[in-house]
Amino acid sequence: MIDKKLQDLIQTVIEEAKRSPEFTKHLKAAIKSMEGSGKRRRKDATLDPILLVREGENVLRSKLESLTLDQLKDIVAQYGMDPDKLAMKWKNNERIIDRIIQYSVQRSKKGEAFL
């Protein structure tokens, strides 16, 4: 019973969003306000370290060295490279760059055992 009601509600929202740009704008704003639930969200990463490391660690390191501390932390946050919750506290660019490279190399090699 609740599944049908929920499906009807969602379908109504979808149809209204298709019809009304104003409704879509308000819907997007409402969804955005729910994201992060009050936590400060970092900016999107300026580059994809996993893609770049496939061109070589030196290529990735060179690109990372041109970034600010905040930009490096944006990468760490977006790509989940701080499972121990330490890297976001670091103030040393080199230390964060080493972390990004370490995780990027690991992730770029996932699945190679099956090739």
Side-chain angles (χ1 to χ4, degrees):
M1 183 78 164
I2 190 77
D3 290 342
K4 175 70 173 129
K5 288 181 180 181
L6 191 54
Q7 286 175 338
D8 290 346
L9 173 65
I10 292 170
Q11 189 58 40
T12 303
V13 170
I14 291 169
E15 288 170 9
E16 186 60 25
K18 287 178 181 177
R19 274 194 299 269
S20 168
E22 189 67 21
F23 179 78
T24 302
K25 184 175 105 179
H26 290 295
L27 186 60
K28 285 180 180 179
I31 291 169
K32 186 172 183 165
S33 73
M34 292 186 305
E35 292 176 349
S37 61
K39 291 182 183 176
R40 179 178 169 252
R41 301 255 318 150
R42 298 203 64 92
K43 293 181 181 176
D44 288 340
T46 56
L47 54 82
D48 182 339
I50 292 115
L51 258 171
L52 281 173
V53 81
R54 291 180 181 145
E55 297 176 28
E57 285 184 44
N58 57 337
V59 172
L60 176 57
R61 183 173 297 277
S62 171
K63 297 280 187 183
L64 293 173
E65 287 174 347
S66 69
L67 301 179
T68 66
L69 182 63
D70 273 340
Q71 289 172 319
L72 293 170
K73 288 182 178 185
D74 292 339
I75 293 169
V76 169
Q78 183 169 332
Y79 289 91
M81 297 178 168
D82 193 20
D84 53 7
K85 306 290 185 223
L86 295 174
M88 296 305 276
K89 298 175 186 174
W90 296 342
K91 305 287 186 221
N92 182 303
N93 287 25
E94 271 308 306
R95 200 169 178 193
I96 295 176
I97 287 171
D98 289 342
R99 168 70 64 106
I100 293 169
I101 290 172
Q102 172 194 358
Y103 275 82
S104 298
V105 167
Q106 288 173 355
R107 291 184 185 167
S108 72
K109 293 182 178 183
K110 275 190 174 181
E112 283 186 4
F114 301 104
L115 296 178

